[in-house]
Amino acid sequence: MPASLRLTGLFAALLLTGCQAINTTSGGAVGVDRKQYMFSMLSSEQVNQLSAQAYQQTLKDASAKNVLDQNSGMARRVDAIAARLIAKAPIFRPDAAQWQWQVSLIKSAEMNASCGPGGKILFYSGLIEKLQLADDEIAAVMGHEIAHALREHGREAMSKAYGIQVAQQGASALFGLGQTSMALADTVVQYGMTLPNSRSNENEADLIGLELAARAGYNPNAAVSLWNKMGQASEGSPPEFMSTHPASSSRIAALQAAIPKVMPLYQQAK
């Protein structure tokens, strides 16, 4: 058996050692029910605490630079949209009702947004301004980011990274691999295991985010217009196979297929 295949099998086995198979959220109308493997030594509480510390440091730095926006009309828009989405988060996982949610807007040309573990939301004004996002489109972005937190994709990635590190150390000792062979092993793991799972996480966040926004009364079709805008803004991006994010065309197709499942929820919320 080629060394790369033996390594892949070893890594897969070691990734499961010390892991618990869980499902962090209910499947919802969109049916996200993939089992996730988390290292038991890395608890949700620990990850949430790390996230909270990093978040507070980000806010401190932004405040020192006078770019933490707490009073503008845009900040009020972001806060209002977040409140509606957060109210629906316990539908996917009841304990989210006890999270210490925070929402902050940073004045920056950066086109970015995130929701860290435990509900720490950051939005950057450049994303809204450059793409001229409507409220429904902001909700699509934010719903996607909140979905990452609900599914604990950050903790899952940390568990995977730890498992890969342990596996690589074990493989080096087992097979007597040198630097060149270990570099090959890194490539096998990255493109054979890590990146496809990352794309899967993005798809999950798209679907749960779509449903979350619909339940909060935001038009699901805005997710399509959002990614059309994203696609136009990211010309020259790498091929889907080499990226941790699905290509816009693939993303839009998956969203369009899921919209009929959540449209009744949107109509009910209205």
Side-chain angles (χ1 to χ4, degrees):
M1 179 184 296
S4 61
L5 293 181
R6 284 186 294 173
L7 285 171
T8 302
L10 175 65
F11 294 162
L14 287 176
L15 279 174
L16 300 181
T17 303
C19 285
Q20 296 176 330
I22 63 173
N23 204 330
T24 51
T25 62
S26 66
V30 292
V32 173
D33 56 6
R34 177 181 62 88
K35 289 293 184 183
Q36 300 165 272
Y37 291 93
M38 308 284 193
F39 272 99
S40 56
M41 67 183 69
L42 187 65
S43 70
S44 298
E45 291 74 17
Q46 289 172 313
V47 175
N48 290 356
Q49 184 178 6
L50 290 171
S51 172
Q53 291 172 352
Y55 187 81
Q56 293 306 320
Q57 185 61 51
T58 298
L59 297 189
K60 181 179 178 180
D61 293 343
S63 181
K65 297 174 183 177
N66 199 31
V67 294
L68 183 61
D69 186 348
Q70 298 174 301
N71 301 309
S72 72
M74 184 183 295
R76 290 192 293 272
R77 284 176 68 198
V78 169
D79 285 344
I81 294 166
R84 288 169 59 175
L85 293 170
I86 291 168
K88 301 300 179 182
I91 293 173
F92 290 95
R93 54 179 300 164
D95 67 319
Q98 281 75 54
W99 285 4
Q100 299 300 308
W101 292 89
Q102 288 182 262
V103 186
S104 300
L105 178 68
I106 293 178
K107 293 182 286 186
S108 169
E110 185 176 350
M111 293 174 57
N112 200 6
S114 65
C115 180
K120 306 303 184 185
I121 300 172
L122 282 175
F123 232 86
Y124 293 78
S125 60
L127 183 62
I128 299 173
E129 292 170 339
K130 291 183 180 180
L131 298 185
Q132 298 183 335
L133 297 184
D135 284 3
D136 290 322
E137 292 168 330
I138 294 175
V141 175
M142 196 178 295
H144 171 95
E145 297 303 329
I146 289 174
H148 278 307
L150 296 175
R151 287 289 285 170
E152 294 191 63
H153 285 153
R155 180 182 169 213
E156 185 178 15
M158 292 171 72
S159 294
K160 186 182 302 179
Y162 177 76
I164 290 173
Q165 181 181 16
V166 170
Q168 287 176 328
Q169 291 171 351
S172 180
L174 182 62
F175 295 118
L177 296 177
Q179 287 185 334
T180 301
S181 296
M182 286 308 297
L184 172 62
D186 288 342
T187 303
V188 170
V189 172
Q190 184 181 18
Y191 292 107
M193 297 170 65
T194 308
L195 290 184
N197 288 333
S198 296
R199 290 200 297 267
S200 175
N201 288 356
E202 286 298 315
N203 290 333
E204 289 177 356
D206 277 349
L207 294 176
I208 290 179
L210 185 75
E211 181 172 341
L212 191 64
R215 288 182 179 276
Y218 293 102
N219 191 336
N221 289 298
V224 175
S225 63
L226 166 70
W227 285 106
N228 278 325
K229 290 180 178 181
M230 285 285 197
Q232 294 170 3
S234 61
E235 291 181 358
S237 59
E240 181 173 352
F241 177 73
M242 300 293 286
S243 173
T244 58
H245 286 60
S248 294
S249 59
S250 300
R251 195 163 218 155
I252 290 170
L255 287 166
Q256 288 174 325
I259 285 174
K261 298 178 183 179
V262 303
M263 188 57 73
L265 300 172
Y266 165 61
Q267 293 169 338
Q268 183 179 1
K270 290 202 325 179

